Amino acid sequence: MKAVTWQGHRKVSVEKVEDPRIEEPNDAIIKVTSSGLCGSDLHLYETLTPFMTPGDIVGHEPLGEVVEVGPGAQNLAVGDRVVVPFQIACGYCWMCERGLHTQCETTQVTEYGSGAALFGYSKLYGSVAGAQAEYLRVPHADFGPIKVPHGPEDDRFLFLSDVLPTAWQAVEYAQIPVDGTLLVLGLGPIGEMATRIALHRGVRVIAVDLVTERLERAFARGAEVIDLRDVDDVAEEVRSKTWGRGADSVVDAVGMEAHGSPMAALAQRAAGMMPKPVAQAMMQRVGVDRLAALYTAIDAVRRGGTISISGVYGGQADPMPMLTLFDKQIALHMGQANVHRWAGDILPLLVDDDPLGVEQFATHHVDLDSAPQAYAEFQKKENNTVKVVFRP
């Protein structure tokens, strides 16, 4: 089969690889009909290279049709249409029973002190083959896959694999008070979808980015927007719009590769050029994140407010302004999305009137052979690239 494989820093290629097969009784094999390109994939492309091996199959946002089922996954049948959450969880351990599927104790990657295994996401998360491919082996298929009806276009349900639950959790974790204001930093796929979800709930949203097309998309949905290129101080601009206090809640949808952190950017590049054992140790023990977005969130949130972090961070010793966090009584809530916890809330919105606009959410639909160009354009924010969907 064809698959998108990681080959080095800012380099992916489409290769012929072996078809997946049933390895455990509760496995299933799906024929992938759509697979998203996620902002988190860019961290593998750019920053987390020390934990990657050439030939790793990437991607973790699949929708497709079941073509083979192991004897332990009797809840599925050949021909079922399913969306597959990006994390691999058992559904029955102590963590899963509490809705913390990204902390699944059955699939935790204890070697690296990480949570649940993820599809296509480096040694840190289990080195499981990813979903930007023609076929995918799904472990724990007796729990993971979510059945969806045949008929509607793939984009109606595809984003239930990651974008929708990640954005939903970001908004939930933001703990927006009644009549509150939400500040969203970053209008990539997660930031924009969080904006749409909050607006659907009637929340006032202020959204920040520096890409014209992304700002226009958020403005068209009803958000107030701030162009990062036009202001000297985002937090001051937010306070000017919020009676001098700041936003009640902030979603940081940017993460470790924020603009405005030149020294950290240099450290990230340096880590990527070191021998892998040294680079891995540096990533695990040293602060190498670009923290500009998080610092902005801390500055822009009001006293007693909440910051919800959905952007991925990777450093272990990043400097944090603890005096400010303590003095302002800021609550922090963060983590990978627990897909099954939110799926029941989200599915009723994937209906004919499409209130979240999922069918128009993707900006590009391309075949797998276009992956190198799609990754490059997404990383550089070129060609109006916000959300790419591969059609294997």
Side-chain angles (χ1 to χ4, degrees):
M1 70 170 184
K2 284 184 181 180
V4 181
T5 65
W6 184 90
Q7 296 296 338
H9 181 252
R10 294 190 185 179
K11 184 178 181 181
V12 297
S13 65
V14 180
E15 307 289 342
K16 282 282 190 180
V17 301
E18 289 187 12
D19 290 348
R21 56 184 179 81
I22 298 289
E23 297 179 15
E24 300 291 341
N26 57 358
D27 285 352
I29 307 295
I30 70 165
K31 177 179 173 60
V32 179
T33 57
S34 289
S35 188
L37 171 56
C38 180
S40 297
D41 293 325
L42 294 185
H43 299 319
L44 306 179
Y45 189 69
E46 176 73 19
T47 308
L48 296 177
T49 59
F51 298 98
M52 298 295 290
T53 301
D56 284 350
I57 301 172
V58 292
H60 55 265
E61 298 184 353
L63 181 144
E65 184 174 306
V66 176
V67 295
E68 190 175 356
V69 180
Q74 293 302 309
N75 55 312
L76 293 179
V78 171
D80 284 344
R81 189 187 196 193
V82 295
V83 60
V84 181
F86 67 93
Q87 78 267 151
I88 302 167
C90 69
Y92 57 79
C93 71
W94 192 92
M95 289 290 183
C96 285
E97 286 181 346
R98 285 153 181 80
L100 295 169
H101 304 106
T102 57
Q103 310 304 325
C104 174
E105 292 177 324
T106 303
T107 72
Q108 277 180 16
V109 185
T110 54
E111 178 184 358
Y112 289 98
S114 302
L118 310 179
F119 288 102
Y121 215 76
S122 82
K123 294 177 183 176
L124 283 174
Y125 289 99
S127 295
V128 182
Q132 290 168 12
E134 293 180 305
Y135 293 90
L136 176 70
R137 180 179 75 90
V138 181
H140 292 282
D142 51 334
F143 173 71
I146 300 168
K147 295 182 188 179
V148 295
H150 289 276
E153 292 291 324
D154 279 8
D155 285 17
R156 177 70 63 157
F157 304 110
L158 172 64
F159 305 116
L160 192 59
S161 61
D162 183 350
V163 174
L164 279 166
T166 297
W168 191 277
Q169 179 171 292
V171 174
E172 289 285 334
Y173 280 9
Q175 298 177 334
I176 309 160
V178 175
D179 297 326
T181 298
L182 174 67
L183 174 65
V184 177
L185 300 176
L187 288 170
I190 303 304
E192 185 185 345
M193 187 57 77
T195 295
R196 293 187 183 198
I197 290 166
L199 289 168
H200 177 69
R201 297 182 182 187
V203 174
R204 180 193 179 197
V205 179
I206 302 172
V208 181
D209 206 289
L210 46 63
V211 179
T212 300
E213 295 84 358
R214 297 182 179 196
L215 291 163
E216 289 174 346
R217 278 164 63 103
F219 181 78
R221 301 289 300 195
E224 302 170 43
V225 298
I226 296 174
D227 189 330
L228 194 60
R229 299 165 296 185
D230 293 342
V231 297
D232 294 326
D233 189 325
V234 170
E236 278 299 321
E237 184 70 14
V238 172
R239 281 190 283 272
S240 75
K241 298 175 180 291
T242 54
W243 306 279
R245 296 190 190 98
D248 298 286
S249 305
V250 181
V251 167
D252 171 4
V254 180
M256 69 171 76
E257 295 181 61
H259 291 270
S261 307
M263 294 306 295
L266 182 62
Q268 286 178 347
R269 286 195 292 272
M273 292 185 289
M274 293 177 179
K276 281 198 172 185
V278 177
Q280 288 180 10
M282 181 176 178
M283 291 292 291
Q284 288 180 286
R285 300 188 184 117
V286 180
V288 293
D289 292 318
R290 307 181 202 177
L291 295 171
L294 183 54
Y295 289 161
T296 297
I298 293 167
D299 193 5
V301 72
R302 68 160 169 82
R303 292 178 178 273
T306 301
I307 297 173
S308 170
I309 304 173
S310 60
V312 176
Y313 286 95
Q316 283 285 65
D318 291 311
M320 290 290 287
M322 294 304 299
L323 186 152
T324 301
L325 288 165
F326 182 83
D327 180 66
K328 291 183 71 174
Q329 292 184 245
I330 295 170
L332 297 176
H333 210 165
M334 66 196 81
Q336 304 273 14
N338 304 294
V339 175
H340 273 274
R341 180 174 179 178
W342 310 115
D345 296 321
I346 297 168
L347 276 167
L349 298 178
L350 307 181
V351 293
D352 290 343
D353 57 353
D354 191 14
L356 299 179
V358 292
E359 286 199 347
Q360 291 77 44
F361 187 67
T363 54
H364 296 71
H365 294 86
V366 300
D367 58 25
L368 286 180
D369 290 327
S370 301
Q373 180 181 351
Y375 268 80
E377 290 181 346
F378 189 27
Q379 196 271 336
K380 296 175 183 176
K381 302 179 178 66
E382 294 178 344
N383 194 23
N384 191 25
T385 305
V386 178
K387 186 61 182 178
V388 177
V389 174
F390 294 113
R391 295 279 170 81

